[in-house]
């Protein structure tokens, strides 16, 4: 019976298959461009409502088996989609029409004005919200790493809330921080750093851009060249990053989106220290508790043999590799973001309201950032001519126990150089529970026990910030308008920091009130713009903008402090033995007028000129103004070429001048200040810095040439740019001999040069109805040079680390790329051999230049793959040509941890026939020959990986609430594929400005992040 049933089923299946086959047919055809009749390869040809399809070949031909009643869809990037019914046809030839909206891509440019990208005479790169939101960075600016040609992003190794260091097109101005200007919806925002670490320690308290929620950002547009940013005048010499926030869409229905992102980050140990010899000195183990404490960070002891050795507390411990090291002190950090956004469009307006919460726990115990953000965007046509829009972004952010970096005091990374036989956990909880006194774990009381500072420390910073913009635009006609725009950025900070009660280096262990107070920082911009587009002739169009801007910046801070708390753990200014107070105020104003005139001839040639006139309050009246012009040209030559593979070709050229002002006022005249009374008589003091009576704004000029090419119907494109940028009359400090009566002077003689090549290659190698692969590769090569410094062209020192203090620095050196690392070489005899002294110890040689801290070659390779509902992407970025001044390299040699120090442990190190014991030799080596602490900063990193799935819309067709869902797994900073430096991440840094770029030393460990995104769309 079963055999008969199987036979019947098989027969029915054959008949059914035959019936299906009878209802299908094969169609063929050719797909061409409607404008010129050229064949289009790679067009998606598929049956509507199915995944059955194919692609056209190089001749635009295709063949596809389809049902008789099918509708065939023809789709390709840059063209309008066509749908054709088969209806008995066997041959279907299709001529696709170019999509003018897609080809004429519109981007936001200076002043928030949208322009067609193909007509711009300068380089612009836009990064969308999808890129910023997947693998989250607490500071959204870090998400730009590897994605924009000419741009370098270095996050500070300081935990959540840290500063993002961005440089565009090489060395920034000598007198500037290097940071570009950030502009939100056409309004400049304040990006001031709220504190940074130097060689003497300190904490990185974050910057302005780090306050923004990635979920509220629609695009970030990078204006790299001076022509692109010239209309912003002051502060634009380091480039501009335009931020456009998300808005509602006119006419759209109610929309509710919920997004959750969770990231877990783990500290990564890049050290590869020796684990053969343990703590001690001179090849001897510690024999007393005091010996154990003073040698805890010295691995010059005996070969570890598993025996017992006394510890700092008098207990016995195994004299063998502990299996635990500094990295085990840290925890797994977590970042959880929840965002809800609701939007609605109306016939004459729209709104979007979002609420976002970030809860970021650092890898440092009891440290983290909490941030609540409210963002509102409203737009309304009050009449058919008057449009009003408003944006309010409110941020409430709290940073708890921000870690100290670089130097030993209060630094949680002080276990980094423990001898390999010591388990850091033995120093927990870091203090005596009965007395509160810190447990000192080394020979230096200023090297704080990490457990003590994470359990007892206070270094908190709260911020409430409102960024608002209000604009009204009146359209006299479709092409003539006037706009008034007001922007205000106000931050109120509260700070609270203590040297905790029991801190070893505080007087009588009583601690100190380091700071308690508040500050207010504001930037107000008032802007008026008149714009018009006029047809001068049938072929010539004029696009004109005339505007004025008034900017006011204020900063005011007041604080109290004190020394030695009277009652333990009552951290109040009324509980200190000595009381102190502080106050600071700064106000600046810039008044500006500007214009832009753009001429377009027959849509293939555009010429634009701009000018800006700035008047600065920080400069003397006779030198306080400057005019900054620019001119740019774009020539679309592809309109005159009959090359079938070439879709678009443009040559562009530009020249621009931007200006900059000194941050501090009162540098051009003598100002005397009051001092403490002497025997009841009021006293005063004169300045030690010689003022400059003829200070004027510095300028940056840049010449740029570019080429844009697009081939094979948009499947392959190139963007090439060459730039030559020079700064002039930079304001800086110069050192003077004290015999002159002054120790320093303000001069305006600095000058730097940056020349470079940028390349962006992007394409879609594979595009089918079910699978696609898009790829982009960017490359930048920059050569910079310091042309002049002070009147005598002396080197200008910038920064250093604590290890090589005074003996290795970064500096601006005339004739060299900058900032340049300067360090001492070996001393050599007449035969070229390394010299040692009578004890066999290396002798210090000449102070030399060892290379710039800025890379000469850098970029990234991004790939995105889509298969039906699945998407996968990865980003690799690279960095070559820079040097790093490494404190880890110094200390690991000095303390006997570096594997290099294994050489000569038993028999000593012999040089030119003279032998020295290993400890003496290596300690003298790194102290005298500081060039041994200079390492290569080259790397290739797997920066980001994402794997996501978008649930089909049909799954939610019958659900009353849920309208769509997407889930993705993400990873960030996953692996270093190549590096030359030992024991460090080449990007590790404790400083957050140009002075400490390329200087490594005792910052937090780098982290590797994993997580997921979940996005719901609710109807």
């Amino acid at each position: 019976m079963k055999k008969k049933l199987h036979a019947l089923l098989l027969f029915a299946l054959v008949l059914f298959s035959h019936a299906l086959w009878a209802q299908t047919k094969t169609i063929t055809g050719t797909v061409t461009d409607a404008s010129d009749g050229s064949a289009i390869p790679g067009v998606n040809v598929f049956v509507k409502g199915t995944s059955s399809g194919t692609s056209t070949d190089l001749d635009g031909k295709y063949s596809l088996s389809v049902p008789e009643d099918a509708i065939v869809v023809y789709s390709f990037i840059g063209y309008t989609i066509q749908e054709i019914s088969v209806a008995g046809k066997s041959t279907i030839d299709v001529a696709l029409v170019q999509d003018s909206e897609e080809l004429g891509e519109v981007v936001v440019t200076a002043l928030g004005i949208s322009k067609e990208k193909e007509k711009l005479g300068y380089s612009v790169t836009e990064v969308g919200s999808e890129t910023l939101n997947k693998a989250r960075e607490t500071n959204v600016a870090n998400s730009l790493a590897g994605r924009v040609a000419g741009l370098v992003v270095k996050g500070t190794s300081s935990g959540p809330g840290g500063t993002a260091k961005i440089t565009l097109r090489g060395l920034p101005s000598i007198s500037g921080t290097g940071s570009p200007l950030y502009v939100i919806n056409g309004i400049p925002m304040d990006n001031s750093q709220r504190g940074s670490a130097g060689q003497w320690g300190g904490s990185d308290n974050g910057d302005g851009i780090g306050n923004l929620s990635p979920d509220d950002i629609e695009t970030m547009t990078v204006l790299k060249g001076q022509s692109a940013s010239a209309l912003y005048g002051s502060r634009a010499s380091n480039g501009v990053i335009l931020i456009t926030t998300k808005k509602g869409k006119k006419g759209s229905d109610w929309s509710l989106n919920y997004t959750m992102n969770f990231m877990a980050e783990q500290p990564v140990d890049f050290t590869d220290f020796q684990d053969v010899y343990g703590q001690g000195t001179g090849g001897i183990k510690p024999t007393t508790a005091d010996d154990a404490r003073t040698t805890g960070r010295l691995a010059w002891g005996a070969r570890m043999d598993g025996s017992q050795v006394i510890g700092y507390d008098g207990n016995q411990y195994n004299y063998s590799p502990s299996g635990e090291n500094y990295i085990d002190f840290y925890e797994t950090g977590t970042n959880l973001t929840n965002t809800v956004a609701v939007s609605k469009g109306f016939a004459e307006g729209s709104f979007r309201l979002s609420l976002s919460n970030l809860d970021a726990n650092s890898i440092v115990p009891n440290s983290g950032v909490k941030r609540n953000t409210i963002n509102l965007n409203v737009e309304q046509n009050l009449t058919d001519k008057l449009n009003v829009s408003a944006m309010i972004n409110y941020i409430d952010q709290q940073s708890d126990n921000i870690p100290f970096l670089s130097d030993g005091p209060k630094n949680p990374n002080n276990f980094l150089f423990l001898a390999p036989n010591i388990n850091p956990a033995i120093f927990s909880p870091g203090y005596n529970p009965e007395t509160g006194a810190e447990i000192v774990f080394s020979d230096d009381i200023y090297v704080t026990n990490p457990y003590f500072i994470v359990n007892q420390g206070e270094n908190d910073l709260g911020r409430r910030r409102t960024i608002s913009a209000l604009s009204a635009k009146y359209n006299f006609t479709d092409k003539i308008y006037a706009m008034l725009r007001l922007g205000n950025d106000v931050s109120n900070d509260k700070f609270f920091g203590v040297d905790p009660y029991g801190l070893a280096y505080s007087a009588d262990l009583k601690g100190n009130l380091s700071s308690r107070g508040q500050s207010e920082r504001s930037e107000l911009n008032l802007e008026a713009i008149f714009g018009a587009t006029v047809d001068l002739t049938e072929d010539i169009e004029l696009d004109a903008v005339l505007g004025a801007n008034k900017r006011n910046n204020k900063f005011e801070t007041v604080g109290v402090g004190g020394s030695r708390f009277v009652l333990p753990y009552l951290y109040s200014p009324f509980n200190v033995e000595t009381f102190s107070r502080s106050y600071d105020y700064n106000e600046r104003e810039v008044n500006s007028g500007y214009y832009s005139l753009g001429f377009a001839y027959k849509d293939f040639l555009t010429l634009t000129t701009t000018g800006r006139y700035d008047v600065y309050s920080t400069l003397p009246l006779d030198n306080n103004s400057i005019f900054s012009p620019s001119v740019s040209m774009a020539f679309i030559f592809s309109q005159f070429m009959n090359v079938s593979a070439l879709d678009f070709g443009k040559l562009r050229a530009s020249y621009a001048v931007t200006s900059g002002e000194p941050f501090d006022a009162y540098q051009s005249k003598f100002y005397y200040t009051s001092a403490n009374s002497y025997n009841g008589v009021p006293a005063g003091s004169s300045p030690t810095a010689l003022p400059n009576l003829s200070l004027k704004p510095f300028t940056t000029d840049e010449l740029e040439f570019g080429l844009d090419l697009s081939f094979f119907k948009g499947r392959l494109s190139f963007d090439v740019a060459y730039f030559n940028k020079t700064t002039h009359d930079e304001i800086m400090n110069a050192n003077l001999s004290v015999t002159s009566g002054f120790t320093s002077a303000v001069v305006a003689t600095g000058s730097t040069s940056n020349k470079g090549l940028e390349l962006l290659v992007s394409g879609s190698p594979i595009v089918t109805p079910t699978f696609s692969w898009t790829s982009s590769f960017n490359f930048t090569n920059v050569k910079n040079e310091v042309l002049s410094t002070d009147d005598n062209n002396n080197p200008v020192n910038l920064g250093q680390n604590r290890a090589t203090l005074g003996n290795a620095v970064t500096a601006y050196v005339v004739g060299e790329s900058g900032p340049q690392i300067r360090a001492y070489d070996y001393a050599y005899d007449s035969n070229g051999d390394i010299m040692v002294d009578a004890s066999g110890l290396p002798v210090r040689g000449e102070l030399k230049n060892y290379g710039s801290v800025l890379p000469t070659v850098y970029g990234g390779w991004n790939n995105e793959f889509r298969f039906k509902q699945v998407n996968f992407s990865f980003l690799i970025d690279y960095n070559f040509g820079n040097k790093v001044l490494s404190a880890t390299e110094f200390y690991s040699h000095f303390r006997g941890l570096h594997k290099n120090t294994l050489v000569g442990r038993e028999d000593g190190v012999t040089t030119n026939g003279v032998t020295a014991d290993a400890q003496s030799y290596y300690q003298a080596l790194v102290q005298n020959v500081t060039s041994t602490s200079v390492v290569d900063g080259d790397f290739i990193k797997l920066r980001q990986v994402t794997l996501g799935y978008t649930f089909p819309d049909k799954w939610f067709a019958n659900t009353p609430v849920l309208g769509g869902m997407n889930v993705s797994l993400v990873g960030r900073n996953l692996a270093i594929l190549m590096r030359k430096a030992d024991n460090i991440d080449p990007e590790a840094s404790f400083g957050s400005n140009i002075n400490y770029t390329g200087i490594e030393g005792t910052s937090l460990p780098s982290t590797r992040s994993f997580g997921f995104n979940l996005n719901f769309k609710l109807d």
Side-chain angles (χ1 to χ4, degrees):
M1 183 65 183
K2 289 183 178 180
K3 290 183 178 179
K4 290 182 179 180
L5 182 60
H6 289 166
L8 287 173
L9 289 174
L10 180 61
F11 179 69
L13 183 60
V14 171
L15 287 178
F16 182 67
S17 301
H18 185 274
L20 285 177
W21 180 257
Q23 296 175 22
T24 63
K25 62 184 299 182
T26 300
I27 61 171
T28 60
T30 304
V31 181
T32 58
D33 188 322
S35 63
D36 57 13
S38 61
I40 307 178
V43 176
N44 298 324
V45 183
F46 59 95
V47 177
K48 187 175 182 178
T50 74
S51 60
S52 175
T54 186
S55 299
T56 58
D57 61 19
L58 292 176
D59 297 321
K61 299 184 182 301
Y62 72 94
S63 175
L64 181 65
S65 179
V66 299
E68 287 281 1
D69 59 349
I71 295 177
V72 182
V73 180
Y74 300 83
S75 172
F76 190 67
I77 298 173
Y79 291 82
T80 303
I81 295 174
Q82 286 199 34
E83 298 182 0
I84 299 177
S85 175
V86 173
K89 305 183 188 74
S90 298
T91 301
I92 302 178
D93 295 326
V94 178
L96 292 182
V97 177
Q98 293 184 0
D99 187 337
S100 59
E101 290 186 1
E102 185 166 350
L103 287 177
E105 180 185 355
V106 175
V107 295
V108 178
T109 63
L111 307 179
I113 299 172
S114 298
K115 293 187 177 182
E116 290 185 50
K117 186 175 181 180
E118 67 177 26
K119 295 182 179 180
L120 296 178
Y122 46 78
S123 179
V124 173
T125 301
E126 186 176 88
V127 178
S129 59
E130 184 177 356
T131 298
L132 305 174
N133 292 339
K134 281 187 177 179
R136 299 294 183 93
E137 292 275 1
T138 308
N139 190 321
V140 67
N142 288 328
S143 299
L144 296 174
R147 298 189 179 277
V148 180
L151 181 144
V152 175
V153 183
K154 303 290 185 184
T156 308
S157 306
S158 57
T163 300
K165 299 183 294 184
I166 291 183
T167 54
L168 278 165
R169 292 188 167 178
L171 176 68
S173 60
I174 289 177
S175 54
T177 63
S179 177
L181 172 68
Y182 291 92
V183 178
I184 303 179
N185 294 348
I187 299 296
M189 62 164 273
D190 182 84
N191 191 47
S192 301
Q193 296 173 227
R194 296 180 290 168
S196 60
Q199 67 263 26
W200 302 112
S203 59
D204 173 21
N205 297 335
D207 54 10
I209 185 64
N211 297 151
L212 302 187
S213 169
D215 289 309
D216 293 325
I217 297 176
E218 183 67 33
T219 60
M220 295 182 75
T221 304
V222 182
L223 308 182
K224 293 176 286 188
Q226 303 300 293
S227 288
S229 59
L231 280 175
Y232 287 109
S234 176
R235 302 185 297 175
S237 61
N238 293 319
V240 176
I241 296 180
L242 306 177
I243 298 172
T244 303
T245 59
K246 293 180 179 178
K247 303 176 182 178
K249 296 181 180 179
K250 291 182 180 180
S252 64
D253 201 356
W254 285 97
S255 176
L256 180 65
N257 281 276
Y258 167 70
T259 301
M260 182 186 74
N261 173 267
F262 176 80
M263 298 292 289
E265 59 177 3
Q266 297 176 334
V268 181
D269 182 12
F270 287 103
T271 63
D272 184 22
F273 293 158
Q274 63 89 9
D275 58 2
V276 179
Y277 294 87
Q279 75 176 116
T281 59
I284 301 173
K285 306 174 189 177
T287 56
T288 66
D290 284 342
D291 285 345
R293 178 178 59 80
T294 57
T295 61
R297 296 190 302 149
L298 292 170
W300 294 110
R303 184 183 292 268
M304 290 185 286
D305 54 9
S307 62
Q308 295 287 296
V309 66
I310 194 168
Y312 81 102
D313 53 3
N315 295 322
Q316 295 291 318
Y317 296 93
N318 290 331
Y319 198 62
S320 59
S322 69
E324 306 287 333
N325 66 6
Y326 81 103
I327 212 71
D328 299 293
F329 164 78
Y330 296 99
E331 302 177 337
T332 297
T334 58
N335 292 353
L336 176 63
T337 305
N338 289 281
T339 302
V340 177
V342 60
S343 63
K344 177 71 170 70
F346 308 98
E348 298 298 331
S350 66
F351 85 93
R352 178 183 182 272
L353 174 67
S354 72
L355 308 175
S356 183
N357 169 261
L358 166 71
D359 190 350
N361 295 311
S362 174
I363 60 173
V364 178
N366 302 321
S367 177
V369 174
K370 290 180 172 60
R371 182 177 68 211
N372 295 304
T373 305
I374 302 174
N375 183 265
L376 175 65
N377 265 296
V378 180
E379 185 176 6
Q380 181 67 35
N381 291 329
L382 299 182
T383 70
D384 59 347
K385 293 183 180 295
L386 179 61
N387 174 272
V388 177
S389 63
M391 182 272 294
I392 299 177
N393 196 25
Y394 174 76
I395 301 117
D396 187 345
Q397 179 170 305
Q398 178 66 38
S399 302
D400 294 326
N401 209 8
I402 302 171
F404 283 76
L405 309 173
S406 179
D407 203 2
K410 297 188 284 188
N411 190 327
N413 204 35
N414 282 332
F415 287 147
L416 174 60
F417 301 112
L418 280 178
N421 60 293
I422 299 178
N423 184 342
I426 68 174
F427 302 111
S428 177
Y431 60 94
N432 185 318
E434 296 181 0
T435 65
E438 176 190 348
I439 296 174
V440 179
F441 75 101
S442 75
D443 58 332
D444 189 347
I445 62 172
Y446 290 96
V447 178
T448 306
N449 186 320
Y451 282 110
F452 176 81
I453 200 60
V454 300
N455 289 324
Q456 301 286 70
E458 296 280 356
N459 185 31
D460 305 336
L461 180 63
R463 162 166 283 196
R464 292 182 177 177
R465 181 180 188 183
T466 303
I467 305 173
S468 56
L470 176 66
S471 67
K473 183 178 181 180
Y474 188 84
N475 295 291
F476 298 98
T477 69
D478 291 342
K479 296 185 177 182
I480 301 176
Y481 69 90
M483 181 168 63
L484 187 65
R485 187 158 54 195
L486 176 67
N488 198 22
D489 184 356
V490 181
S491 299
N492 288 281
D493 294 347
K494 288 187 176 181
F495 46 88
F496 174 43
V498 300
D499 293 335
Y501 188 88
L503 184 65
Y505 65 78
S506 64
D508 301 323
L509 302 183
K510 291 184 177 182
N512 305 292
L513 180 61
S514 305
S515 60
R516 182 150 205 161
Q518 60 187 31
S519 65
E520 180 175 286
R521 188 186 302 271
S522 67
E523 175 165 326
L524 177 68
N525 282 275
L526 178 62
E527 189 166 44
I529 298 176
F530 177 81
T533 302
V534 181
D535 293 326
L536 298 180
T537 69
E538 184 178 347
D539 298 326
I540 301 177
E541 180 184 79
L542 170 65
D543 182 9
V545 173
L546 181 66
N549 178 273
K550 183 182 184 67
R551 170 167 65 89
N552 180 271
N553 292 87
K554 289 183 181 180
F555 173 74
E556 185 174 20
T557 181
V558 59
V560 294
S563 300
R564 300 185 299 278
F565 293 107
V566 178
L567 299 176
Y569 307 115
L570 179 58
Y571 297 147
S572 165
F574 298 103
N575 184 43
V576 292
E577 294 181 11
T578 60
F579 178 79
S580 63
R581 59 195 175 198
S582 62
Y583 176 78
D584 192 17
Y585 180 83
N586 182 289
E587 183 175 3
R588 294 171 292 140
E589 188 170 279
V590 181
N591 295 302
S592 310
Y594 54 81
Y595 72 86
S596 173
L597 297 175
F599 299 89
Y601 179 72
K602 288 187 175 181
D603 290 329
F604 69 82
L605 180 64
T606 59
L607 180 67
T608 302
T609 178
T610 71
R612 181 176 176 116
Y613 184 76
D614 292 308
V615 179
Y616 302 108
S617 68
T618 52
L619 292 169
L621 291 177
D622 53 349
N623 267 330
N624 68 343
S625 61
I626 192 169
F627 177 70
S628 305
S630 82
V631 61
S632 62
M633 180 274 294
F635 172 56
I636 305 175
F637 60 85
S638 54
Q639 295 190 17
F640 302 93
M641 301 181 66
N642 186 20
V643 179
S644 59
L646 179 64
D647 309 320
F648 177 78
K650 178 180 74 173
L651 287 171
R652 62 179 192 267
S654 64
Y655 175 79
V657 177
T658 57
S659 67
E661 61 172 322
F663 177 83
D664 296 317
Y666 314 119
Q667 297 185 88
S668 59
K669 294 182 180 179
F670 281 102
Y671 292 92
Y672 296 94
T673 57
S674 61
N676 294 329
S677 299
Y678 181 75
N679 288 334
V681 179
S685 65
S686 61
T688 59
L690 178 66
N692 190 321
L693 304 181
S694 57
L695 280 184
K696 61 182 180 179
F698 76 82
T699 60
T700 301
D701 61 65
E702 182 181 56
L703 181 64
E704 178 183 342
F705 298 98
L707 174 66
D708 294 314
L709 297 172
S710 178
F711 297 92
F712 308 119
K713 311 305 178 185
R715 295 286 289 274
L716 178 64
S717 61
F718 297 86
D719 183 343
V720 186
Y722 169 80
F723 61 89
N724 189 337
K725 181 171 65 173
T726 306
T727 65
H728 307 274
D729 303 321
E730 290 206 50
I731 300 169
M732 55 189 292
N733 289 322
N735 295 324
L736 297 179
S737 170
V738 293
T739 58
S740 66
F742 300 91
T743 59
S744 64
V746 179
V747 298
T749 54
S751 178
T752 64
S753 169
N754 288 273
K755 301 176 182 178
L757 179 69
E758 298 170 351
L759 171 65
L760 172 63
V761 183
S762 55
S764 302
I766 301 175
V767 181
T768 72
T770 58
F771 179 76
S772 66
W773 170 29
T774 60
S775 183
S776 65
F777 176 82
N778 68 80
F779 167 90
T780 303
N781 178 231
V782 178
K783 179 181 180 182
N784 72 69
E785 182 181 353
V786 177
L787 302 179
S788 63
T789 54
D790 59 19
D791 290 332
N792 298 314
N793 280 332
N794 294 313
V796 176
N797 290 350
L798 299 174
Q800 54 197 317
N801 59 38
R802 187 71 169 85
T804 56
L805 198 61
N807 296 319
V809 299
T810 61
Y812 291 123
V813 182
V814 173
E816 301 287 347
S817 55
Q820 188 80 195
I821 295 180
R822 311 193 79 206
Y824 286 99
D825 192 9
Y826 290 93
Y828 300 93
D829 61 21
S830 58
N831 296 322
D833 296 324
I834 293 174
M835 295 176 61
V836 294
D837 62 17
S839 301
L841 304 181
V843 177
R844 175 175 294 173
E846 296 180 5
L847 182 66
K848 294 184 177 180
N849 303 316
Y850 283 90
S852 173
V853 299
L854 298 178
T856 56
V857 174
Y858 53 92
W861 181 36
N862 187 52
N863 290 271
E864 297 184 9
F865 303 87
R866 295 185 182 273
F867 177 70
K868 295 184 178 180
Q869 308 300 123
V870 179
N871 61 82
F872 172 75
S873 68
F874 68 87
L875 169 65
I876 294 174
D877 63 353
Y878 59 92
N879 178 108
F880 295 96
N882 65 299
K883 299 292 184 179
V884 175
L885 178 58
S886 171
T888 299
E889 191 75 6
F890 175 94
Y891 285 127
S892 61
H893 279 89
F894 186 87
R895 302 189 179 283
L897 295 166
H898 202 289
K899 285 187 173 180
N900 289 349
T901 65
L902 293 177
V903 178
R905 287 283 183 141
E906 306 298 334
D907 302 320
V909 180
T910 302
T911 308
N912 297 335
V914 184
T915 301
D917 67 90
Q919 180 177 349
S920 299
Y921 177 85
Y922 289 109
Q923 289 184 340
L925 172 66
V926 292
Q927 288 178 310
N928 293 335
V929 187
T930 51
S931 61
T932 56
S933 296
V934 180
V935 299
D936 287 323
D938 299 354
F939 68 80
I940 302 175
K941 288 191 175 186
L942 179 59
R943 183 69 67 178
Q944 181 172 304
V945 173
T946 68
L947 175 63
Y949 182 78
T950 302
F951 293 87
D953 291 340
K954 62 183 181 181
W955 288 19
F956 311 103
N958 298 319
T959 58
V961 177
L962 194 59
M965 185 169 66
N966 173 274
V967 63
S968 57
L969 302 176
V970 298
R972 185 83 178 161
N973 300 317
L974 295 179
I976 298 183
L977 306 179
M978 187 283 293
R979 64 176 171 134
K980 293 183 179 179
D982 295 328
N983 302 310
I984 66 168
D985 177 352
E987 287 189 294
S989 174
F990 61 79
S992 52
N993 55 41
I994 191 64
N995 287 7
Y996 293 97
T997 297
I999 302 179
E1000 180 270 343
T1002 330
S1003 56
L1004 297 188
S1006 300
T1007 59
R1008 181 181 296 130
S1009 303
F1010 304 90
F1012 65 89
N1013 280 314
L1014 186 61
N1015 178 266
F1016 291 99
K1017 181 180 180 182
L1018 306 178
D1019 295 327

